[in-house]
Amino acid sequence: MSKRVRTAVFPVAGLGTRFLPATKAMPKEMLPVVDRPLIQYAVDEAREAGIEHFVFVTGRNKGVIEDHFDKQFELEATLAARGKAAALGELSRDLPSAGRTSFTRQQEPLGLGHAVWCARDIVGDNPFALLLPDMLFQSKPGVLKQMMDAYDDVGGNVIAVEEVPMQDVSSYGVVARGAGTDRSFAISGMVEKPKPDMAPSNLIISGRYILQPQVFDLISTQTKGAGGEIQLTDAMLKLLETQRFTGVKYAGRSFDCGSKVGFLTANIAFALDRDDVRDDFLTAVDGLGLLSTPSRRSA
């Protein structure tokens, strides 16, 4: 029987240079989609999947993330005094319970593999989930929950994948598909940013992983790869030689909030999915002349 996945790792040490000057003093992971920061969506997804321990790999000037997952007594006292029970309840629901969060630092920007390795002593000899907060998903159930269902069946390592046009694969990590259904198929290989004519498929890695702890040992001994960084894909390729990797082509849609267009698109999509925002938002956009009345009502 597979060991239960109780811990999730969130790499949040990036500089967010594509969003400067907004991220000069504020972590990119705290950029809001409607009214919730990106990191909160990732944590919510992990909690839905049964995660109990949340490990954040931070860097300098990221203390606000730690503050976000802490109580703020002055704010809570003010909300209580003003009878803002709904807002107070939402703040309480967003917080992991006491002792469920850990924070460690990645002192140098040496890549995703290095960020994962920084969490090794906290994770210990246990499987763990890895969630990249830049990737935001609209899916029910959440992507990690769909992956957990596959993990419960086959164990090993699990990667969420999605299809992209073949001409776009050179921007992503791509997997080679083996036997199995969309919800659980064997991965026979992986390649980072291949040329379209060299890609094994058009299935890209989507920023959600379940990994076995042996990946830490492999990261610790590998040399720098593409971009002078320690690449997670290199360690996973080595682990693939001895352990099963399963792909889950998840049901839902993704938004790459590491890009301006992806972030703006996510705000629109999530606003349209909110009963308390949708109608007023569409009316406001329609007032700009960007939408016709028929398309507004059928969106």
Side-chain angles (χ1 to χ4, degrees):
M1 181 177 293
S2 302
K3 206 170 184 179
R4 184 180 169 191
V5 180
R6 300 174 181 268
T7 302
V9 174
F10 304 86
V12 292
L15 298 176
T17 53
R18 284 187 284 181
F19 281 90
L20 287 170
T23 51
K24 179 180 179 181
M26 179 178 70
K28 64 176 180 177
E29 296 83 10
M30 291 300 295
L31 292 172
V33 172
V34 186
D35 56 3
R36 300 172 72 76
L38 283 170
I39 188 61
Q40 185 68 59
Y41 286 101
V43 168
D44 291 345
E45 181 186 335
R47 292 173 74 176
E48 178 200 14
I51 294 297
E52 300 172 0
H53 187 189
F54 308 85
V55 181
F56 301 87
V57 182
T58 70
R60 285 180 291 278
N61 301 320
K62 300 280 186 165
V64 67
I65 296 176
E66 189 169 352
D67 292 339
H68 177 73
F69 291 104
D70 197 2
K71 283 182 170 291
Q72 190 177 119
F73 292 103
E74 297 87 350
L75 174 61
E76 294 177 7
T78 300
L79 291 174
R82 295 178 180 177
K84 303 286 188 180
L88 192 59
E90 186 171 8
L91 288 179
S92 178
R93 287 192 299 272
D94 285 348
L95 288 181
S97 57
R100 298 293 189 182
T101 57
S102 296
F103 296 83
T104 187
R105 282 206 173 187
Q106 182 186 23
Q107 287 88 355
E108 298 178 78
L110 295 178
L112 177 59
H114 183 259
V116 171
W117 182 77
C118 289
R120 66 198 183 283
D121 287 339
I122 300 174
V123 174
D125 190 25
N126 298 293
F128 63 99
L130 173 64
L131 297 89
L132 309 189
D134 281 359
M135 295 303 300
L136 179 60
F137 298 89
Q138 272 189 326
S139 60
K140 294 181 180 179
V143 171
L144 187 59
K145 177 63 171 66
Q146 296 177 47
M147 295 168 65
M148 287 287 200
D149 291 342
Y151 176 81
D152 289 342
D153 289 337
V154 299
N157 306 270
V158 183
I159 299 176
V161 301
E162 64 180 272
E163 284 189 281
V164 299
M166 186 60 78
Q167 64 266 25
D168 295 338
V169 295
S170 59
S171 297
Y172 304 96
V174 179
V175 304
R177 178 169 182 164
T181 67
D182 282 352
R183 297 294 174 260
S184 180
F185 63 85
I187 290 176
S188 57
M190 287 173 271
V191 60
E192 190 70 25
K193 299 181 178 179
K195 294 180 180 180
D197 59 347
M198 300 294 290
S201 75
N202 66 335
L203 293 172
I204 65 166
I205 299 172
S206 299
R208 297 292 186 269
Y209 314 76
I210 296 173
L211 298 171
Q212 295 298 316
Q214 288 76 23
V215 75
F216 293 125
D217 293 333
L218 296 173
I219 293 172
S220 68
T221 59
Q222 76 184 49
T223 57
K224 294 179 181 179
E229 297 182 338
I230 297 174
Q231 299 291 339
L232 179 62
T233 303
D234 293 341
M236 291 194 299
L237 277 169
K238 191 68 176 175
L239 192 59
L240 181 61
E241 296 175 5
T242 58
Q243 293 188 7
R244 177 187 172 97
F245 272 76
T246 298
V248 174
K249 186 181 173 187
Y250 64 87
R253 56 180 172 176
S254 66
F255 304 89
D256 180 4
C257 291
S259 73
K260 294 183 179 73
V261 171
F263 176 71
L264 293 171
T265 305
N267 268 279
I268 294 171
F270 276 76
L272 293 176
D273 199 42
R274 287 270 297 267
D275 291 339
D276 61 328
V277 173
R278 180 178 181 274
D279 289 343
D280 288 343
F281 175 66
L282 286 171
T283 298
V285 173
D286 198 23
L288 297 175
L290 301 177
L291 293 175
S292 65
T293 300
S295 64
R296 174 170 69 91
R297 295 307 176 193
S298 62

